[in-house]
Amino acid sequence: WIVLDELNLATQSVLEGLNACLDHRAEIFIPELGRTFQVHHEKTKLFACQNPLKQGGGRKGLPRSFLNRFTQVYVEPLTSDDYSFICSQMFPTIPPDTLQRMIEFNERIHRQTMVECKWGTRGGPWEFNLRDIFRWCDLMVSSGRSDLTEAARHVRLIYQNRLRTADDRERLGKLFEEIFGVKIPVT
């Protein structure tokens, strides 16, 4: 099995190499190794993944002729329940109430900045997603503490420092305080 992630960020030369794997040639040449490898279609499963074109930067639409080589499956965005289940399994030492607040915080930032465009427009588009929650949880677990004060300590690094204006950072701080009941530390 071969998984190609973020395929719509691939260079043209990578796409051309993949075409050679998928067509009658069924081979790929790796210049760094100076070798050609055969691809056995009946034994090889190739999975190509990509995010929507408007999500993030630098994504391009792949040619229809290339996309037609694959069975296309659309995956719905994760729900709050999905986030809760995944995070509770990955980070069982963080109290469920803290995880729920972290997830709500992440979702509200995303909604306010990317869906409603209420603030955070300078420097965007922003991606506030499961990766951010994982980074946040990793920092809390590595510190050995998982209380609300510890959550506040790390939110500056994961979220606040990405924002470009003082007003946006202040709005984020107010949202955090509203959800967690504690302020983000100044230092």
Side-chain angles (χ1 to χ4, degrees):
W1 288 22
I2 301 169
V3 176
L4 305 169
D5 196 17
E6 302 276 10
L7 190 59
N8 54 340
L9 294 177
T11 63
Q12 187 61 37
S13 61
V14 168
L15 296 176
E16 289 168 8
L18 286 172
N19 262 330
C21 289
L22 299 169
D23 67 16
H24 67 280
R25 295 170 283 179
E27 65 182 24
I28 186 164
F29 176 71
I30 308 293
E32 293 82 3
L33 300 176
R35 291 184 56 195
T36 299
F37 296 88
Q38 294 300 309
V39 176
H40 302 284
H41 289 151
E42 59 283 343
K43 294 181 182 177
T44 305
K45 302 290 183 211
L46 187 66
F47 298 88
C49 307
Q50 68 179 37
N51 288 324
L53 295 178
K54 55 187 159 184
Q55 187 178 28
R59 294 183 189 354
K60 59 187 175 293
L62 296 172
R64 175 71 43 210
S65 59
F66 186 78
L67 291 174
N68 286 341
R69 295 179 178 273
F70 298 91
T71 300
Q72 295 182 39
V73 177
Y74 178 77
V75 178
E76 292 288 331
L78 296 175
T79 66
S80 293
D81 289 340
D82 296 329
Y83 274 52
S84 295
F85 177 77
I86 293 166
C87 291
S88 66
Q89 296 301 303
M90 295 293 297
F91 302 98
T93 60
I94 299 178
D97 178 61
T98 302
L99 280 175
Q100 283 307 121
R101 291 174 195 232
M102 294 167 78
I103 292 164
E104 179 186 351
F105 178 76
N106 191 79
E107 287 176 346
R108 286 182 56 188
I109 292 173
H110 174 77
R111 186 174 56 253
Q112 289 178 16
T113 60
M114 298 306 300
V115 178
E116 299 167 355
C117 300
K118 288 183 174 180
W119 55 279
T121 55
R122 272 196 69 206
W126 307 106
E127 291 289 325
F128 297 111
N129 55 39
L130 187 60
R131 284 188 198 110
D132 296 308
I133 297 172
F134 274 14
R135 288 182 191 117
W136 197 2
C137 289
D138 281 334
L139 287 170
M140 290 177 63
V141 168
S142 67
S143 74
R145 292 180 48 208
S146 57
D147 54 73
L148 299 181
T149 304
E150 191 66 9
R153 198 167 75 83
H154 298 298
V155 78
R156 166 172 284 140
L157 175 66
I158 303 298
Y159 295 92
Q160 201 171 39
N161 288 345
R162 290 160 58 182
L163 300 173
R164 300 290 187 260
T165 70
D167 183 56
D168 289 343
R169 289 188 293 273
E170 185 179 325
R171 283 177 181 244
L172 184 135
K174 287 179 181 176
L175 179 62
F176 183 86
E177 188 175 355
E178 177 186 325
I179 294 169
F180 284 83
V182 294
K183 292 184 181 221
I184 298 173
V186 177
T187 57

